[in-house]
Amino acid sequence: MSKECQVIQDLFPLYSENLVSPETKGYIENHLAQCSYCRQIWEEINQPLLDVLPMKEFNVEQGIGDKLFANLKKTVMVAICLLLLGGAGISYASYSAGKHVSLDDPSYRLVNELGLFTEINQTKALNDMEVTLEKGIFDNSRTILFLKVSNPGNELLQATLTDESGHEYLQRTSKVLQKKYYVVEFEPLKAEVENVCMILKDPEEKEKIEFQFPVDVTSTLQHTRIIYPNLRQEVKGIAINFQKAVLGVSQSEFKIKLDWSYDGSVTGISVGRDAIFPTSFRKISNDAPPPPVPLAPGGLASNYAATFAVNYRNEEPPFNRPVLYDLSQREEITVQGGEYRTTQFPCQVEMSLKFDLVDPQTEMVELVLPPIYYFKEVGNKEEVNLDFQENTKIKLDKVIPIETGKIIIDKAWLEEDRLFISYILEAAQGRNAQELLPFFALKDEQGEKQGQGHFTYGKEGELFFLLFNPESKKFSLTLDSLGELLPRQKFTLDISDK
């Protein structure tokens, strides 16, 4: 396969959601018209798929969740952020479409060598489909179930996994191969679980099938290394705590917690450019009813909850992603993804970094964290007015001075339910623009805050906001704060048995 074909196929998930520029869209379609190999791959991906979704429909608020998740099919990264009003919850789902998955995946090499696949081989009928649950992996970092579907259609199926105590496990991802092989990943099972039940349900027909089968989680536990490093670093007011490493038989997972002060000196943090967590909390009075979650010291409760799931690729520069080095074998271990979420306490974020399995003979690894920015409030909060009543594109050339240089808001434009802006960041002498990250806030003419800004994939200095009311034509844009890149943090970990 040529390098151009690889680039085209890497763009398929964004192309399927119409998230590429007109120029890129034309480039992809031109290539598809001439390349039968890529055209066949695209047709496989673009066929109606059996989507396997979590059974619980993301209880943010009834109706809101349906709108938010209606268009998440076939996206590479999903990041859903909601400001909490009275403590509403939040969940996420991420889907990898078109990614070839099979039992030959290198992640399953050790599972295969140790004979740790659990054979299930149960077949059930659902509507016009025949679904076979073939086997599973019950690792201590995740649960993986392999299904085969005959006559797949475009039904939207929901999935749950529960154990004998009734505990339900969160679904993480689902992957598809050739429209009929599915790999569904859930949270890891509890060590004491002996029996589980997977339910697939068609919400339209209200029909469902159940697969009940025994499991032996201890068979993988004996091949798993669980380490509690209790390592801590503090930089620029951000405490970084390396809490746990789970070196499973199909995946390696590292858990880190970030904490920062409530005093306002840090207005938020960002893991990478899009997983932004602002400092936002409220004080609960002594006579108020107790909230459903524990309070931070001083009676503080978080106003903000978010979860970001990111799929990384080893082909990306190490600057943009977490890195794990096997110091014994002197090689890099393939990164899989990261999950970043708020906790019940304000000013606290949990990071879960996932990589391919670490060789059982390895004794030392080095973990390099993804880029982390810390935000400070800017002194100049001048509003930039945007009026799209006569034209959907506005040329601005608005200069916003900052301590470390200046930001030029070049232009703004509307596309359906999104507002885009492009800007140029000119850093002062001795500063690197790549180490600075502006955070903009957008409000409509009623003063209602719009969705958080997200950077356009592959485009430097371009971001978009999701509009809560696409009919709005007047907005105000403000530079709220400016992020600075922390020095890159890394941990060396002895994982030997001694």
Side-chain angles (χ1 to χ4, degrees):
M1 180 171 59
S2 70
K3 185 175 181 180
E4 184 179 14
C5 289
Q6 182 65 60
V7 171
I8 291 293
Q9 291 175 33
D10 287 344
L11 289 170
F12 278 166
L14 295 171
Y15 177 59
S16 69
E17 288 285 353
N18 199 27
L19 295 178
V20 295
S21 67
E23 292 81 6
T24 302
K25 182 179 180 181
Y27 171 69
I28 294 172
E29 291 175 348
N30 216 27
H31 181 87
L32 291 176
Q34 302 174 44
C35 178
S36 59
Y37 176 74
C38 285
R39 189 163 59 247
Q40 180 181 351
I41 298 296
W42 168 246
E43 288 171 354
E44 278 194 6
I45 294 173
N46 205 40
Q47 286 292 325
L49 302 177
L50 168 70
D51 290 299
V52 185
L53 296 177
M55 182 75 80
K56 285 191 174 177
E57 190 59 37
F58 311 111
N59 294 322
V60 180
E61 285 183 15
Q62 190 61 37
I64 294 179
D66 296 338
K67 295 178 182 177
L68 285 175
F69 291 93
N71 296 318
L72 295 188
K73 190 161 51 171
K74 302 179 184 173
T75 54
V76 173
M77 182 187 86
V78 178
I80 305 301
C81 305
L82 295 179
L83 282 174
L84 294 187
L85 301 176
I90 189 166
S91 297
Y92 81 93
S94 67
Y95 304 92
S96 300
K99 182 177 180 181
H100 286 198
V101 288
S102 71
L103 299 183
D104 295 327
D105 190 312
S107 300
Y108 312 141
R109 175 184 58 80
L110 186 60
V111 176
N112 195 40
E113 289 178 1
L114 297 174
L116 294 176
F117 280 110
T118 297
E119 298 293 337
I120 303 170
N121 296 320
Q122 295 183 21
T123 301
K124 308 275 184 177
L126 180 63
N127 299 333
D128 296 329
M129 295 178 293
E130 194 174 75
V131 183
T132 300
L133 179 54
E134 295 184 329
K135 58 185 67 184
I137 299 174
F138 302 99
D139 202 348
N140 296 102
S141 60
R142 58 179 175 172
T143 296
I144 310 172
L145 295 172
F146 299 85
L147 299 95
K148 180 179 178 181
V149 179
S150 65
N151 301 320
N154 57 2
E155 290 89 349
L156 188 68
L157 294 186
Q158 297 174 332
T160 57
L161 184 70
T162 55
D163 60 29
E164 63 263 38
S165 70
H167 178 78
E168 185 173 329
Y169 295 88
L170 174 68
Q171 182 188 321
R172 290 176 172 171
T173 62
S174 62
K175 302 173 185 176
V176 61
L177 173 65
Q178 297 176 356
K179 299 180 289 184
K180 61 181 179 179
Y181 297 103
Y182 295 82
V183 180
V184 188
E185 182 179 324
F186 294 88
E187 292 178 297
L189 300 180
K190 297 178 181 179
E192 65 272 17
V193 170
E194 296 181 349
N195 292 280
V196 294
C197 176
M198 182 185 186
I199 298 176
L200 292 177
K201 182 179 178 181
D202 181 348
E204 297 296 327
E205 302 293 335
K206 297 185 178 179
E207 295 185 14
K208 65 180 182 181
I209 52 177
E210 295 185 9
F211 299 95
Q212 298 187 31
F213 49 94
V215 295
D216 180 11
V217 182
T218 60
S219 63
T220 57
L221 185 59
Q222 61 183 312
H223 299 285
T224 300
R225 286 179 283 181
I226 301 178
I227 301 163
Y228 298 92
N230 292 321
L231 299 175
R232 176 185 170 92
Q233 298 176 0
E234 186 163 341
V235 55
K236 302 289 186 179
I238 312 295
I240 304 172
N241 298 282
F242 187 178
Q243 296 182 313
K244 187 178 181 180
V246 180
L247 308 180
V249 296
S250 69
Q251 185 184 70
S252 303
E253 184 176 18
F254 300 86
K255 294 183 178 293
I256 296 98
K257 185 174 287 184
L258 308 178
D259 287 275
W260 64 99
S261 174
Y262 309 132
D263 64 7
S265 58
V266 176
T267 60
I269 69 162
S270 174
V271 183
R273 295 166 62 85
D274 274 306
I276 298 176
F277 301 91
T279 299
S280 181
F281 55 86
R282 67 191 185 279
K283 183 173 178 58
I284 305 298
S285 62
N286 294 332
D287 55 352
V293 296
L295 295 177
L300 301 179
S302 181
N303 278 336
Y304 180 85
T307 295
F308 293 84
V310 182
N311 289 331
Y312 295 109
R313 296 172 47 209
N314 256 45
E315 291 80 6
E316 297 177 36
F319 173 83
N320 296 326
R321 58 177 173 84
V323 182
L324 182 65
Y325 294 110
D326 182 333
L327 298 182
S328 300
Q329 309 289 338
R330 301 178 66 181
E331 62 184 13
E332 182 181 343
I333 298 172
T334 300
V335 62
Q336 294 182 356
E339 293 176 11
Y340 312 111
R341 61 170 61 87
T342 51
T343 72
Q344 70 266 38
F345 297 113
C347 304
Q348 191 175 86
V349 169
E350 290 179 335
M351 304 171 62
S352 176
L353 306 177
K354 300 174 183 180
F355 299 84
D356 279 0
L357 64 94
V358 173
D359 191 288
Q361 306 303 316
T362 294
E363 297 185 348
M364 194 79 68
V365 296
E366 182 178 81
L367 175 66
V368 183
L369 301 188
I372 300 171
Y373 296 84
Y374 71 103
F375 288 85
K376 300 278 189 178
E377 192 171 15
V378 297
N380 180 10
K381 289 199 174 184
E382 178 185 353
E383 291 186 348
V384 179
N385 294 317
L386 307 175
D387 188 343
F388 296 98
Q389 293 183 99
E390 296 182 0
N391 200 325
T392 58
K393 296 182 180 179
I394 304 173
K395 182 66 174 175
L396 294 165
D397 293 325
K398 174 68 177 178
V399 177
I400 303 176
I402 55 178
E403 289 185 7
T404 50
K406 62 182 178 181
I407 296 175
I408 305 169
I409 309 296
D410 178 33
K411 57 185 175 181
W413 65 98
L414 287 177
E415 290 184 11
E416 298 179 345
D417 60 347
R418 300 182 183 192
L419 188 154
F420 289 78
I421 68 165
S422 65
Y423 69 90
I424 301 167
L425 197 159
E426 295 184 359
Q429 188 174 3
R431 299 302 302 265
N432 185 346
Q434 293 295 323
E435 297 177 353
L436 302 174
L437 186 65
F439 180 75
F440 294 95
L442 183 73
K443 295 181 180 180
D444 63 15
E445 59 185 328
Q446 282 77 42
E448 294 293 328
K449 188 174 181 180
Q450 302 302 291
Q452 182 174 295
H454 294 281
F455 286 90
T456 305
Y457 179 80
K459 291 195 172 182
E460 188 71 26
E462 181 179 299
L463 69 158
F464 65 88
F465 300 83
L466 291 174
L467 303 178
F468 296 146
N469 180 10
E471 302 302 317
S472 297
K473 299 299 179 184
K474 289 185 175 183
F475 303 90
S476 62
L477 181 73
T478 307
L479 177 62
D480 180 84
S481 53
L482 185 67
E484 293 197 31
L485 184 67
L486 290 177
R488 200 69 182 270
Q489 302 301 300
K490 62 182 179 181
F491 295 91
T492 301
L493 186 62
D494 184 348
I495 60 173
S496 62
D497 294 330
K498 59 185 178 182

